Amino acid sequence: MKITNIILALLTLTMLLACGQKQPKENEKHDKSHSESTMTGIWLRMSPQGPVKMEFKKTGKVTIDFGNDQAVEVSSNYTINGDTVEFTDVEGEMCPAPGTYLMDETPYYLAFDVLNDTCNGRIKTTSGFWTKPNFRELQETLDKQIAANPEAKLQLMRGRLYMATGNSEKARKDFSAFIAKDSSNARVFINRAATFFPGDMQSVLADCERAIALDPENKNAWFLRGLALYEMDRKKEACESFSKAIELGFSVLRIAEKQKCAEYWDIENTP
């Protein structure tokens, strides 16, 4: 089935769906200075539209370069608070309000998952897996470690690094290897589901169902499930899935999927 333009536009988000849904606990929050954060520096990822570069500076500013062509399209201030980061756009293609994201930071990849943002453009730009410019060296390091000791967590990190570089097939193999050893992690089922886009919606749906069984409040699983169902021409079920994602905090879908679901939603009372 031919994939819709809306899915292509949102694929940056749905391919990556990086972090979990747990909100950081208040007693775990702590401010971290920009100079202390290992997030400082350049991060890259491959999107359906081409390469994207994000540079976090010690001054508390982050810039985004679409196409990695040395032209900055968006400049924002960022504030780190424990495992979350808040972006406030100050220049370029600006969003009117700040956005808050959960971070997953490792030596091999950096990931963001939206917690509170009403700006669809920033969600698509920011959400997902990023890696360092020396990603080939990082991959070689993981290759050697996995060859010596194929631990599930190492295969998971390599799979997410592959996602950042746009290699879905290799990522899927690593996610499947992880799942064979540990089938209790909903996030990994979502990660693997994203690797089946756009050709195998049945597998996307199957992995989303398994993720929801493990974590019924995972908004990303409900969202990705909705995209798969819509492409399978099960539109009413898709819109019910989008509604569940909105109920769980994916508020931007009220706008992003409004046209798709106008027939099924009571727009005034959509959660």
Side-chain angles (χ1 to χ4, degrees), residues 194-247:
T195 69
F196 290 110
F197 268 93
D200 186 356
M201 294 300 165
Q202 191 60 55
S203 292
V204 175
L205 180 61
D207 272 354
C208 287
E209 297 283 11
R210 294 182 73 177
I212 290 168
L214 291 166
D215 182 6
E217 295 189 356
N218 192 304
K219 67 181 185 295
N220 287 334
W222 287 101
F223 171 50
L224 194 55
R225 177 180 182 269
L227 289 177
L229 287 167
Y230 198 89
E231 285 304 301
M232 296 167 71
D233 206 30
R234 294 164 61 179
K235 296 180 181 179
K236 185 175 186 295
E237 294 173 82
C239 292
E240 290 171 352
S241 198
F242 292 145
S243 292
K244 184 65 176 179
I246 292 170
E247 179 185 323

Side-chain angles (χ1 to χ4, degrees), residues 173-207:
K173 290 179 181 178
D174 275 336
F175 295 149
S176 294
F178 180 95
I179 289 169
K181 298 170 183 175
D182 180 359
S183 60
S184 65
N185 191 319
R187 291 169 57 190
V188 184
F189 279 107
I190 299 170
N191 292 159
R192 189 175 71 174
T195 69
F196 290 110
F197 268 93
D200 186 356
M201 294 300 165
Q202 191 60 55
S203 292
V204 175
L205 180 61
D207 272 354

